[in-house]
Amino acid sequence: LIVALSYFWLPGYAKKQLEERLSELLQRPVSVAAIEIKPHTLELIVQDFRIGNKNDEPEKREALFYFAKLHIDISIESVARLAPVITAFSIVEPKLHLVREAEDRFNISDLLEKFGQPSEDSDEQTGPAQFSVSNIMIQGGHFGFDDQHMKADHQISDINLGIPIVATIDSALTNWIEPHFSAKINGSPLKLDGKLRPFTDNQEATLTLKLSEFDLMELNHYVPFPKGMQLRSGFFDSDWLITFKQARDQAPDITLTGSSGL
């Protein structure tokens, strides 16, 4: 009976509750195409999640936030540890669209004011939340920033992120972890590759950063030049390597090498 309810009744009920409660909380239309729950494998799948803008019009396609698919795989180890242990977390084609309507007003300003208020129990001393999330993946993400105040439009496209593990639970993992990130900032490719060992006494990490042909004219609206000077054109390239080492009870050793071109 429990399995039958989980497969046939719970997804529809969860979909309805999610749409209604989030729409009321955010004061924006929220829709979900489908929710799939697999109790035998402890998996959750959410399809076509969309948060519209305030006073959204039905024919307006641009959403405040959207993703095509969310997949979460929970480990049975969560029961033993009494803390969430997620073995896989992936989100496909997430899209966030921010609009700067005035100098100090955005299309999410009301949400920032609402959720920026301190909670009543914020003064209570509590330890860090215990959790473990492995195999974090973001595929085909997109961030759009429509700066109507400065009459500029910025796009970060082709966002791909991979993080092997993020955890506060004590772990015996001593192997190297290799996160990576890539995207295009207004068409200029950016790539970050890391390598770190966070769960050993001697912590080590390296980070490579490569940015190619970044057009400085995209920042011309935000960086004031002295009177009589004007930026006509400019590009920036970088290829950096950052290394970090820290032994127990010792100060960190950070080294930056590489080259930049302007």
Side-chain angles (χ1 to χ4, degrees):
L1 179 60
I2 293 175
V3 171
L5 288 174
S6 299
Y7 272 107
F8 302 108
W9 173 79
L10 186 56
Y13 177 78
K15 175 181 179 299
K16 181 180 179 181
Q17 290 296 313
L18 184 65
E19 291 176 337
E20 292 180 353
R21 293 181 181 274
L22 275 183
S23 296
E24 182 180 357
L25 177 66
L26 303 177
Q27 293 298 300
R28 287 164 173 79
V30 176
S31 63
V32 182
I35 294 179
E36 183 179 358
I37 299 174
K38 299 179 179 180
H40 62 291
T41 57
L42 298 180
E43 292 179 84
L44 170 67
I45 300 173
V46 181
Q47 303 276 4
D48 290 329
F49 176 86
R50 183 183 188 275
I51 300 177
N53 285 288
K54 204 168 187 179
N55 304 320
D56 202 358
E57 299 175 359
E59 65 274 9
K60 189 175 181 179
R61 292 189 174 184
E62 193 70 61
L64 172 62
F65 179 70
Y66 167 86
F67 62 75
K69 181 180 179 180
L70 170 68
H71 175 252
I72 301 176
D73 193 349
I74 304 174
S75 172
I76 193 66
E77 190 180 352
S78 302
V79 179
R81 288 186 174 270
L82 298 179
V85 177
I86 298 174
T87 56
F89 179 95
S90 65
I91 184 168
V92 179
E93 295 182 6
K95 297 179 181 180
L96 177 63
H97 182 70
L98 293 184
V99 180
R100 187 187 187 192
E101 301 168 343
E103 183 176 1
D104 56 353
R105 191 70 186 175
F106 296 83
N107 60 336
I108 59 169
S109 292
D110 59 318
L111 298 179
L112 296 177
E113 294 170 0
K114 180 177 182 179
F115 297 109
Q117 300 295 329
S119 59
E120 296 179 357
D121 55 350
S122 59
D123 295 333
E124 295 182 5
Q125 298 295 326
T126 59
Q130 298 295 300
F131 68 91
S132 175
V133 184
S134 305
N135 301 311
I136 303 171
M137 296 290 295
I138 296 178
Q139 299 175 321
H142 184 274
F143 170 71
F145 179 52
D146 181 8
D147 191 345
Q148 297 177 354
H149 175 69
M150 299 298 293
K151 296 180 175 58
D153 182 69
H154 303 282
Q155 305 291 327
I156 303 178
S157 59
D158 298 335
I159 300 173
N160 293 286
L161 172 69
I163 302 177
I165 185 171
V166 175
T168 57
I169 297 174
D170 292 338
S171 174
L173 181 64
T174 58
N175 296 331
W176 287 95
I177 295 174
E178 300 184 9
H180 63 85
F181 173 84
S182 63
K184 291 183 178 179
I185 304 177
N186 293 325
S188 302
L190 169 68
K191 186 176 181 182
L192 294 168
D193 287 300
K195 190 176 179 182
L196 65 154
R197 289 199 295 182
F199 302 116
T200 57
D201 289 339
N202 296 330
Q203 297 184 5
E204 301 175 76
T206 63
L207 175 67
T208 60
L209 184 152
K210 295 183 179 181
L211 178 64
S212 303
E213 297 183 355
F214 179 72
D215 190 354
L216 296 178
M217 292 298 291
E218 301 291 348
L219 304 178
N220 199 29
H221 302 281
Y222 308 99
V223 182
F225 282 86
K227 188 175 181 180
M229 295 182 63
Q230 185 178 10
L231 179 65
R232 294 292 187 180
S233 66
F235 292 89
F236 177 77
D237 296 272
S238 68
D239 189 351
W240 296 342
L241 171 63
I242 303 171
T243 60
F244 171 90
K245 294 182 180 180
Q246 183 175 21
R248 182 181 290 273
D249 300 326
Q250 297 292 326
D253 180 16
I254 303 175
T255 305
L256 171 64
T257 58
S259 61
S260 296
L262 183 65

